[in-house]
Amino acid sequence: MLTADSGSVLRLVEIEGRGRALVASQPLKAGQIVLQDSPIVVYSAFPLVKPQSSASYCDNCFRILSSSANVVPCPLCSHHLFCGPNCLTAATASSHSPWVCQAFSRLRDCPSLFSQPLEQQVQARFLIAAYNLALVSPSDFQVLLSLQGQYSPSDAPAAEFLHSLILSVCPPPSLPISIELTAALLAKDKLNAFGLMEPLSLQQDGERSVRAYGIYPKASFFNHDCLPNACRFDYLDSAPAQNTDMIVRMIHDVPVGREICLSYFPVNLNYSARQKRLTEDYGFTCNCDRCKVEANWSDNEADVIDDNGTVEENEDEEIMEEDNDGQMVASEGDEVGEADFPHAYFFVRYMCNRENCWGTLAPLPPSNDVQSKVLECNVCGNHKSEEDMC
């Protein structure tokens, strides 16, 4: 875990009103990698019985299983597939232990679970993964319990149902579990899980689905900002090793002492959509500089980016405006300046203009301390040179 004296480029501190946060312990450059974090828990985002139309992924590393992959099935069941013998061996010793395999098989035979919302099937996947973590890596389980996330009475019905179900159908061996522990784990998951997305090529109706969720103990300390100064990258289908690692890179330079923040969702959402999502999913309202500006806009003044992610120009109109779906869509203006729209520059420079992408651009890592002039999208992976922005 990061500590105040870890020697990292990031320092863990307490900020009044924001809780634990990561700040720069030295000046940071655009494109600089400030964190590479491995998950302590990764679990599928699909229901226990996957739709036939969904893509297939390795149940260990969550790479997409292509037709040329050396697919190896779990020898104990017919439901779990792996992209090769190495992944099967690694999973059997950790995330897909014999108890996990047996637990999922029994849960698939529980009619009561399938009468519940699909979300509870995914929550059941998480609880099995979490209890298995306690069995195979007690130290990582304690790290999971140390993360932020408080039990809410509104979550009681799901916690009580899932606790009773797991206890009666597939109790973890030699691990006493309680309703309080189950509720606490679900709270940690709700607040700290990062979605690992499906490839952009598989998106439907402009929306990408989540293929898996991961809990990253160090990355969980990043707070949210609606105009982040860093963004996360994952390379699930391209990294040769440790493909579930999260890599966080700086979007632009920041001085020492500045808090480093991610956006918890695509930055093109408008003010009301952002506040709704933060309140419902994370339990707080945002008061960042962008939100302070947009909170004072009238309904017909709110703005974002057009379908291509570009800011158009027209001297007779406001810089930004909002479309019918609550997406930030840039409108036309004489120029993009801080006086009219303090964060318009961010959308022009750091938002991917590929259709239906809405990803964030960050420079590639510096080479020999020379900043790269090529920016990479953290969603579609497209590269864009600074010359293309002129």
Side-chain angles (χ1 to χ4, degrees):
M1 300 294 288
L2 287 171
T3 61
D5 58 352
S6 65
S8 166
V9 297
L10 302 178
R11 183 164 53 92
L12 182 62
V13 300
E14 288 280 342
I15 297 179
E16 185 177 357
R18 293 178 66 81
R20 291 180 291 188
L22 294 174
V23 301
S25 60
Q26 63 186 53
L28 301 175
K29 297 296 185 180
Q32 183 174 349
I33 295 175
V34 295
L35 182 68
Q36 180 168 347
D37 198 13
S38 299
I40 54 175
V41 172
V42 186
Y43 61 96
S44 174
F46 289 97
L48 290 172
V49 178
K50 289 175 58 177
Q52 292 293 327
S53 58
S54 63
S56 294
Y57 300 97
C58 173
D59 279 296
N60 181 60
C61 69
F62 291 96
R63 298 182 195 273
I64 193 167
L65 294 176
S66 65
S67 56
S68 60
N70 181 25
V71 178
V72 179
C74 170
L76 301 178
C77 71
S78 59
H79 298 288
H80 297 93
L81 303 174
F82 301 90
C83 62
N86 290 340
C87 262
L88 172 60
T89 300
T92 303
S94 56
S95 61
H96 194 69
S97 66
W99 172 73
V100 169
C101 186
Q102 182 184 64
F104 284 139
S105 295
R106 291 180 178 179
L107 287 173
R108 287 189 184 89
D109 293 330
C110 288
S112 60
L113 180 58
F114 290 89
S115 65
Q116 301 296 316
L118 288 178
E119 178 186 5
Q120 291 196 12
Q121 294 185 42
V122 181
Q123 289 177 315
R125 284 188 181 275
F126 163 71
L127 288 173
I128 295 299
Y131 289 136
N132 180 66
L133 184 68
L135 297 173
V136 301
S137 182
S139 60
D140 281 339
F141 185 68
Q142 292 304 313
V143 171
L144 174 60
L145 291 178
S146 73
L147 300 180
Q148 290 183 315
Q150 298 296 322
Y151 167 74
S152 171
S154 63
D155 298 326
E160 291 171 357
F161 170 77
L162 290 169
H163 173 72
S164 176
L165 179 67
I166 292 174
L167 198 59
S168 62
V169 173
C170 50
S174 66
L175 178 68
I177 62 174
S178 64
I179 180 62
E180 291 79 14
L181 179 59
T182 298
L185 286 170
L186 290 174
K188 309 297 183 186
D189 176 57
K190 181 177 181 179
L191 199 61
N192 296 285
F194 287 85
L196 303 176
M197 308 304 292
E198 291 195 287
L200 191 65
S201 60
L202 297 181
Q203 71 176 5
Q204 297 180 354
D205 300 322
E207 295 288 335
R208 294 173 75 205
S209 297
V210 181
R211 71 174 83 176
Y213 292 101
I215 294 183
Y216 297 79
K218 297 175 184 176
S220 68
F221 292 122
F222 285 112
N223 285 325
H224 167 82
D225 195 287
C226 296
L227 286 180
N229 50 26
C231 60
R232 52 169 282 218
F233 289 82
D234 53 60
Y235 301 95
L236 282 171
D237 297 309
S238 59
Q242 295 180 286
N243 70 307
T244 57
D245 279 11
M246 177 192 298
I247 295 174
V248 177
R249 295 211 309 260
M250 297 305 301
I251 296 174
H252 53 74
D253 295 356
V254 302
V256 63
R258 179 70 54 82
E259 183 180 5
I260 307 305
C261 296
L262 306 177
S263 177
Y264 291 173
F265 37 70
V267 297
N268 64 303
L269 297 182
N270 69 8
Y271 173 77
S272 59
R274 298 196 310 272
Q275 295 292 352
K276 181 176 185 293
R277 189 157 173 181
L278 289 170
T279 301
E280 293 179 352
D281 293 351
Y282 300 98
F284 71 90
T285 56
C286 184
N287 195 36
C288 70
D289 290 343
R290 177 183 173 188
C291 285
K292 289 177 183 176
V293 172
E294 293 182 16
N296 296 319
W297 287 353
S298 63
D299 290 342
N300 61 357
E301 286 178 321
D303 295 306
V304 235
I305 292 207
D306 66 12
D307 291 339
N308 294 317
T310 58
V311 174
E312 301 174 353
E313 297 186 2
N314 181 329
E315 58 185 270
D316 297 324
E317 296 184 11
E318 296 289 337
I319 294 293
M320 305 292 281
E321 63 187 26
E322 176 182 328
D323 70 9
N324 294 330
D325 298 322
Q327 301 290 320
M328 293 293 286
V329 186
S331 117
E332 298 182 349
D334 189 35
E335 64 180 41
V336 177
E338 291 191 6
D340 298 303
F341 186 66
H343 38 283
Y345 177 76
F346 186 96
F347 292 100
V348 174
R349 182 172 179 82
Y350 299 119
M351 179 177 282
C352 182
N353 61 4
R354 180 176 176 179
E355 185 176 3
N356 293 325
C357 176
W358 308 118
T360 302
L361 300 169
L364 295 174
S367 176
N368 297 322
D369 294 327
V370 177
Q371 183 173 321
S372 174
K373 296 184 180 297
V374 177
L375 287 79
E376 178 185 17
C377 175
N378 70 338
V379 172
C380 70
N382 277 3
H383 288 182
K384 187 175 183 180
S385 67
E386 289 187 348
E387 288 75 11
D388 294 336
M389 304 176 192
C390 299

